[in-house]
Each structure stands twice: as structure tokens, then as C-alpha cells.
């Protein structure tokens, strides 16, 4: 089968081999597997088929991308979708920028390229680390003191405060808790929600001083705890707590839909732009693909640009 396909369709199956075809077949029933049939029905690529969509018409670009990705992999740099996405965009931008006006190099396309052309499956990498201290989790995630916060004179802190960020540590009676805690929820109500609520009343002439407010929360244990509910009822009797049914935040929680999703998308977009610029800068300086490095830290200027962009999104 492989030899015949290569002979009859050399442009379509130049890289096809027996191992790839074996993945498409249900060996028990000696027919195409259900996954293969579903992929064909949905128009998805088949692993190792060599098809790269619109890049098929740009063999030089495709070969350059493949060479760079394989070289980086040989240098033991973990290649994930974000890194590959940035490399693809950089190569296309250099060799055929007009292609980006009619083609969206999405992460979905990158995954398809991985699967079809390289026969790679993206997965999380592992790391070999030094012996961990017994309280490693507490050190990294506990956030039990002000030592876990940025310094007051840290770069960008004044901008963060101007945007209304309130940084605090998540100390909790529950060992290792680092998400929302009773302490942080009380501080959020007192430092964030209450000032915002009073500001709305002061600026809206249609509201009186006895206005009732609603706090719409998910069913996280701290939110529904007796301690937090009693705190709100006692300190802020004009606040009514309402809860999103468990498992329904993706549909009924405004913050997830209208704010968190937008912010995460913005962060990912800036990350991709940063990686593309970094890759292009190093290649243009004369480095070979094997010499290109992606730093795992974040430069201060990038933090500033990201925070300003996120501030404009929130506004």
C-alpha cells in the first residue's frame, strides 16, 4: 500500500511509511480505525501524512520550519505549541509576509502541522531537579507572609497600584492552601468591592445611600463557608451573596466569560509576539538555529508592556 501510494501520489505521500499507515488501521478487524474514519469525515489531517495545508505551496518555508524545529529539538529545547507557533510566524514573516494577510497561523494549525508533517505529539516536558526541601510546597505555594510579595519599590509596582491591583499573601489555617482563603476574601471585600461599591453610589445620582449590592461568586469552599458568609452578613449587611451552581461557571460567571478569558488571550498573544521577536532578533544577528535560545525569565520591559495592555483591556 505504501509503495503504491508513493508511486501514484508522489506529491501527496512523499514521506509516508509503514509505521504511519499502521496507526490508521484497526489490526484486529483489518480495516480503517474509527479514529481514522472520524478524521477523514471531519477533514482533519492524518498522523504522518505530510500534508501542511497552505504551506504545501511554499516548500521552502515548510522545509525551513521543519529544519528549525528539528534543530531546536536536537539541542534538547522543549518544543511546545507556543514555541513552534512563534517560529512559524517568524519564518513566514521573513520569507513571505504577504501570506499572513490570507492565512491565520493559529495554534490549531500548529498542532495539525505537528501531527501531519512531523508526526509529533505535544506533551508536557519533565525536568530533573535537585533534591527538594521538605517544605518546598509551602515555600513555593503557601504565600504565608509578605516575603512572597514583590517589594514596594519593585519595577512596575507603582503602575500596578495605579491600575488598582491589591497584592496580598494567602495565609490560611489550612496548610499549603494558596488559592482563595478566608483572609484574602475578607481583604477583597474590604479593599476592592466595598470601595468600588461606594464609588458607584457616589457617581450615580439615581442610587441612594441604602443601596443593596450583590456579590456573585462560584461555589469554592471558602466562598460558601460559614465563616465568610457570617463575616459579610455582620460587616456588610447590605451585600447579598449569590452563588453560581457548581460546574456552571463557564456559562453563568461573568468574570470567566467577559474578563478572565480576554486577559488570558491577551497574555498568550503578547507571549507569542515576544517569542517571535526574540527568535527573529537572534536569527538576524547571525546565530544558527541551534544557537537560538529562549529565556525562561521575563524581562522587565515585557512585564511593563503586558501590564499596560492588560490595564487597557480591563478599562
Amino acid at each position: 500500500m505504501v509503495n503504491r501510494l508513493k508511486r501514484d501520489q508522489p506529491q501527496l505521500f512523499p514521506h509516508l511509511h509503514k509505521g504511519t499507515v499502521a496507526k490508521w488501521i484497526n489490526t484486529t478487524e483489518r480495516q480503517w480505525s474509527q479514529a481514522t474514519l472520524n478524521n477523514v469525515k471531519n477533514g482533519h489531517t492524518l498522523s504522518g501524512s505530510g500534508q501542511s495545508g497552505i504551506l504545501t505551496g511554499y516548500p521552502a518555508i515548510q522545509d525551513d520550519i521543519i529544519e528549525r524545529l528539528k534543530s531546536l529539538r536536537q539541542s534538547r529545547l522543549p518544543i511546545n505549541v507556543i514555541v513552534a507557533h512563534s517560529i512559524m510566524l517568524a519564518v513566514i514573516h521573513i520569507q513571505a509576509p504577504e501570506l499572513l494577510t490570507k492565512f491565520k497561523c493559529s495554534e490549531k494549525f500548529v498542532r495539525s502541522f505537528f501531527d501531519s508533517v512531523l508526526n509529533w505529539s505535544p506533551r508536557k516536558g519533565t525536568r530533573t531537579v535537585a533534591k527538594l526541601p521538605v517544605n518546598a510546597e509551602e515555600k513555593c505555594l503557601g504565600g504565608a507572609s509578605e516575603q512572597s510579595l514583590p517589594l514596594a519599590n519593585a519595577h512596575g509596582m507603582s503602575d500596578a497600584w495605579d491600575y488598582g491591583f491589591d497584592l496580598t499573601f494567602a495565609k490560611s489555617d489550612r496548610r499549603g492552601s494558596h488559592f482563595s482563603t478566608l483572609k484574602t476574601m475578607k481583604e477583597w471585600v474590604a479593599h476592592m468591592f466595598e470601595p468600588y461599591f461606594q464609588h458607584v453610589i457616589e457617581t450615580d445620582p439615581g442610587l441612594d445611600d441604602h443601596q443593596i449590592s450583590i456579590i456573585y461568586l462560584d461555589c469554592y469552599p471558602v466562598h460558601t463557608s460559614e465563616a465568610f458568609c457570617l463575616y459579610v452578613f455582620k460587616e456588610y449587611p447590605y451585600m447579598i451573596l449569590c452563588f453560581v451552581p457548581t460546574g456552571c461557571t463557564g456559562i453563568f460567571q461573568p468574570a470567566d466569560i467577559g474578563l478572565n478569558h480576554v486577559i488570558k488571550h491577551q497574555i498568550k498573544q503578547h507571549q507569542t509576539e515576544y517569542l517571535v521577536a526574540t527568535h527573529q532578533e537572534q536569527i538576524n544577528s547571525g546565530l544558527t538555529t541551534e544557537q537560538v535560545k529562549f529565556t525562561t525569565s521575563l524581562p522587565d520591559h515585557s512585564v511593563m508592556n503586558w501590564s499596560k495592555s492588560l490595564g487597557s483591556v480591563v478599562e
Side-chain angles (χ1 to χ4, degrees):
M1 179 187 296
V2 173
N3 292 334
R4 182 172 180 177
L5 288 173
K6 283 186 175 182
R7 183 185 69 243
D8 296 344
Q9 301 287 341
Q11 297 297 324
L12 190 60
F13 299 105
H15 307 292
L16 190 64
H17 54 82
K18 294 181 179 179
T20 299
V21 176
K23 297 179 181 180
W24 302 345
I25 299 175
N26 184 329
T27 55
T28 303
E29 301 179 4
R30 299 184 64 81
Q31 62 183 14
W32 300 118
S33 68
Q34 189 59 47
T36 299
L37 295 175
N38 290 338
N39 283 334
V40 173
K41 179 180 178 181
N42 297 326
H44 294 168
T45 59
L46 297 176
S47 299
S49 65
Q51 294 302 290
S52 57
I54 194 171
L55 292 185
T56 302
Y58 298 82
I61 293 179
Q62 177 174 308
D63 292 343
D64 192 2
I65 291 173
I66 293 174
E67 181 182 355
R68 295 188 186 210
L69 291 176
K70 288 185 175 180
S71 297
L72 289 175
R73 194 183 192 191
Q74 290 174 358
S75 65
R76 298 183 180 275
L77 177 71
I79 305 297
N80 56 27
V81 173
I82 294 177
V83 171
H85 188 206
S86 67
I87 291 175
M88 283 187 173
L89 286 174
V91 172
I92 295 173
H93 182 75
I94 292 173
Q95 299 191 27
E98 71 282 357
L99 185 59
L100 296 176
T101 62
K102 56 182 178 180
F103 159 63
K104 181 180 179 181
C105 185
S106 63
E107 291 188 5
K108 181 179 179 180
F109 177 83
V110 176
R111 293 181 183 277
S112 176
F113 190 90
F114 271 1
D115 189 40
S116 174
V117 178
L118 296 168
N119 207 12
W120 290 358
S121 298
R123 61 186 62 185
K124 293 182 179 179
T126 57
R127 296 286 189 277
T128 301
V129 297
K131 184 178 180 180
L132 296 175
V134 293
N135 62 338
E137 183 176 349
E138 181 179 349
K139 284 186 174 182
C140 297
L141 304 176
S145 71
E146 292 184 353
Q147 293 181 347
S148 62
L149 302 178
L151 297 176
N153 60 351
H155 185 69
M157 278 298 291
S158 59
D159 293 278
W161 286 330
D162 289 341
Y163 283 126
F165 284 89
D166 184 45
L167 305 179
T168 186
F169 54 93
K171 186 176 182 179
S172 172
D173 294 335
R174 181 179 177 183
R175 182 180 178 84
S177 178
H178 57 282
F179 291 107
S180 180
T181 66
L182 179 60
K183 171 185 176 295
T184 58
M185 283 306 300
K186 287 182 177 180
E187 292 174 343
W188 177 80
V189 172
H191 301 165
M192 304 296 290
F193 186 81
E194 170 63 8
Y196 170 76
F197 173 67
Q198 295 300 333
H199 172 73
V200 172
I201 291 179
E202 293 173 0
T203 56
D204 190 338
L207 300 177
D208 57 44
D209 294 339
H210 303 289
Q211 180 66 42
I212 299 297
S213 65
I214 294 177
I215 300 181
Y216 197 43
L217 301 170
D218 59 25
C219 289
Y220 192 70
V222 173
H223 302 163
T224 58
S225 68
E226 181 179 358
F228 176 67
C229 292
L230 288 177
Y231 164 76
V232 174
F233 296 157
K234 179 180 179 180
E235 301 295 331
Y236 306 96
Y238 47 86
M239 295 183 184
I240 300 175
L241 297 178
C242 291
F243 299 96
V244 182
T246 303
C248 298
T249 55
I251 303 175
F252 295 110
Q253 189 172 33
D256 271 5
I257 301 172
L259 186 61
N260 295 342
H261 174 75
V262 176
I263 290 177
K264 290 178 181 178
H265 175 75
Q266 193 82 357
I267 291 175
K268 182 178 288 187
Q269 188 175 36
H270 278 285
Q271 182 185 31
T272 300
E273 291 173 355
Y274 169 73
L275 289 173
V276 170
T278 300
H279 187 272
Q280 283 184 290
E281 182 180 356
Q282 295 185 60
I283 291 296
N284 293 339
S285 68
L287 295 181
T288 63
T289 305
E290 294 82 356
Q291 294 172 322
V292 171
K293 301 296 181 184
F294 290 101
T295 178
T296 56
S297 61
L298 196 60
D300 289 340
H301 71 275
S302 293
V303 175
M304 287 297 299
N305 291 337
W306 289 17
S307 65
K308 291 179 180 178
S309 178
L310 291 179
S312 63
V313 170
V314 173
E315 292 173 354

